[in-house]
Amino acid sequence: MRNKWGRILLTAVCIMLLLGTSVWAAGTNHMSDLLGFFQDIEVPSGMTVYGSVVAIFGDIQMKGAVTGDVVAIFGDVKIDGPTKGNVVAIFGDLHLASKAAVNGDTVQILGGRTIEEPGAIVTGQKVSLAGFGLNGLPNAGIILVIIMLITLVKIIIDYLISIIAVLVFPERFENMASAALDNMGKKFLIGILIILGFYILSAVLVMVIIGIPFMLLLVPAMALLSFTGNTAVKLAIGKRIGSGREKPWSQMMELFIGTLVYALVEITLVGKSVTFLAKAVGIGAVIDTKGGNGGPHVQAPIGFITKRQDEEEIMGEPKE
């Protein structure tokens, strides 16, 4: 119980830090991964980030060096130093200053402007997908962009709640994520049966007045199960992508990478069908591991005696 409240306190502290006005470094010449929500990230000249820099609803200004990627969602990116990875701006401007040296690709998705000053170097490809504002879009395009924005906001809200859930129950989500990568066909079948059973049972309950109170319990339960399954799959995706690294990612970085992949896939109508299938796998992993508290990926406590072992002791000799 004490550990649980400690995790909750840690979560509250993390949220307060994330809601600050800016992220910056002082008194050191290097940092690890930087991640900011609703805030700007600034890395001054002479500073090196050994990892990636990611901002959601915030701008990034890189005057120092970064060994990983630089990603801004709903924010602008300005690079004025060496970057070994890719530079990505989603719904924001991309500015490459004169000292920018990008070893990877530059990608701008649904942004405003791409500015490249003389002297800027990009070793990889320069990709721009629909880099224009809403004024040039037809009505159907504006509706599509609004749908995409709503989807992204939902993903971000789910991500923030997932952070809290994983901080409070790290072992359980680790077990569910590991289970999602193993025997995916079985997990998918379990998940599909649960989803179909939910819709069939909902239709039956709606037909009778006495079933309405049960619906009030069934819908939140299914929503919680779907959220848990999605979180487990996002962790599993991040775990699979980072499996080839010499230094494994932390659980929070795995969750972020998995959420980012999820967002890029779900932002399209075709991608929604893919994430639906992924959700089914996640639900199957939740059920198969009993919410991360049992199943094949969780070892029994030391000293646990099964019914078979107890029967063998009563018989006087163990069975082969």
Side-chain angles (χ1 to χ4, degrees), residues 151-229:
T151 301
L152 282 177
V153 170
K154 174 182 175 297
I155 291 174
I156 292 172
I157 293 175
D158 287 345
Y159 175 56
L160 295 176
I161 300 175
S162 296
I163 291 177
I164 298 175
V166 173
L167 284 174
V168 177
F169 303 106
E171 295 86 1
R172 291 198 176 195
F173 277 99
E174 182 68 21
N175 293 332
M176 289 184 286
S178 299
L181 297 174
D182 182 32
N183 199 355
M184 295 179 60
K186 174 185 176 183
K187 307 301 186 306
F188 174 74
L189 181 59
I190 295 174
I192 286 294
L193 291 176
I194 293 293
I195 294 173
L196 292 177
F198 166 75
Y199 286 117
I200 294 174
L201 183 58
S202 298
V204 173
L205 292 175
V206 168
M207 294 180 183
V208 292
I209 298 178
I210 196 174
I212 295 178
F214 294 98
M215 278 291 299
L216 298 177
L217 298 176
L218 183 63
V219 172
M222 188 61 190
L224 178 61
L225 183 60
S226 298
F227 165 78
T228 306

Side-chain angles (χ1 to χ4, degrees), residues 212-280:
I212 295 178
F214 294 98
M215 278 291 299
L216 298 177
L217 298 176
L218 183 63
V219 172
M222 188 61 190
L224 178 61
L225 183 60
S226 298
F227 165 78
T228 306
N230 276 328
T231 302
V233 169
K234 292 171 186 176
L235 275 172
I237 293 173
K239 188 182 298 293
R240 177 60 61 86
I241 294 176
S243 60
R245 291 170 54 91
E246 294 181 2
K247 183 180 180 180
W249 277 326
S250 65
Q251 203 172 34
M252 286 295 104
M253 183 54 70
E254 290 176 350
L255 177 62
F256 171 75
I257 296 298
T259 301
L260 183 60
V261 173
Y262 225 71
L264 294 176
V265 173
E266 194 174 20
I267 201 171
T268 64
L269 295 177
V270 176
K272 289 184 181 297
S273 60
V274 176
T275 54
F276 172 79
L277 300 178
K279 180 177 71 174

Side-chain angles (χ1 to χ4, degrees), residues 44 90 186 286:
I90 302 176
K186 174 185 176 183
V286 175

Side-chain angles (χ1 to χ4, degrees), residues 291-304:
N293 197 35
H297 292 272
V298 181
Q299 295 181 352
I302 298 175
F304 180 81

Side-chain angles (χ1 to χ4, degrees), residues 29-215:
N29 59 359
H30 65 277
M31 294 179 291
S32 58
D33 298 312
L34 287 179
L35 177 61
F37 299 93
F38 298 97
Q39 58 185 339
D40 298 334
I41 298 178
E42 180 179 354
V43 178
S45 178
M47 187 76 62
T48 300
V49 178
Y50 292 97
S52 299
V53 179
V54 180
I56 301 176
F57 288 104
D59 299 333
I60 298 177
Q61 185 171 0
M62 292 291 304
K63 295 182 179 179
V66 57
T67 62
D69 299 326
V70 178
V71 181
I73 303 176
F74 293 104
D76 301 332
V77 178
K78 183 176 182 180
I79 305 295
D80 197 12
T83 302
K84 288 188 176 181
N86 304 312
V87 177
V88 181
I90 302 176
F91 292 103
D93 296 340
L94 178 58
H95 186 173
L96 301 176
S98 58
K99 296 181 181 179
V102 181
N103 193 45
D105 302 331
T106 59
V107 181
Q108 185 183 49
I109 302 175
L110 292 175
R113 300 177 301 163
T114 298
I115 303 172
E116 185 174 342
E117 297 182 6
I121 301 174
V122 179
T123 305
Q125 296 181 344
K126 301 176 183 179
V127 181
S128 180
L129 301 178
F132 44 77
L134 294 179
N135 293 332
L137 287 176
N139 291 335
I142 294 176
I143 295 175
L144 179 61
V145 170
I146 292 175
I147 293 175
M148 294 168 64
L149 286 173
I150 294 174
T151 301
L152 282 177
V153 170
K154 174 182 175 297
I155 291 174
I156 292 172
I157 293 175
D158 287 345
Y159 175 56
L160 295 176
I161 300 175
S162 296
I163 291 177
I164 298 175
V166 173
L167 284 174
V168 177
F169 303 106
E171 295 86 1
R172 291 198 176 195
F173 277 99
E174 182 68 21
N175 293 332
M176 289 184 286
S178 299
L181 297 174
D182 182 32
N183 199 355
M184 295 179 60
K186 174 185 176 183
K187 307 301 186 306
F188 174 74
L189 181 59
I190 295 174
I192 286 294
L193 291 176
I194 293 293
I195 294 173
L196 292 177
F198 166 75
Y199 286 117
I200 294 174
L201 183 58
S202 298
V204 173
L205 292 175
V206 168
M207 294 180 183
V208 292
I209 298 178
I210 196 174
I212 295 178
F214 294 98
M215 278 291 299

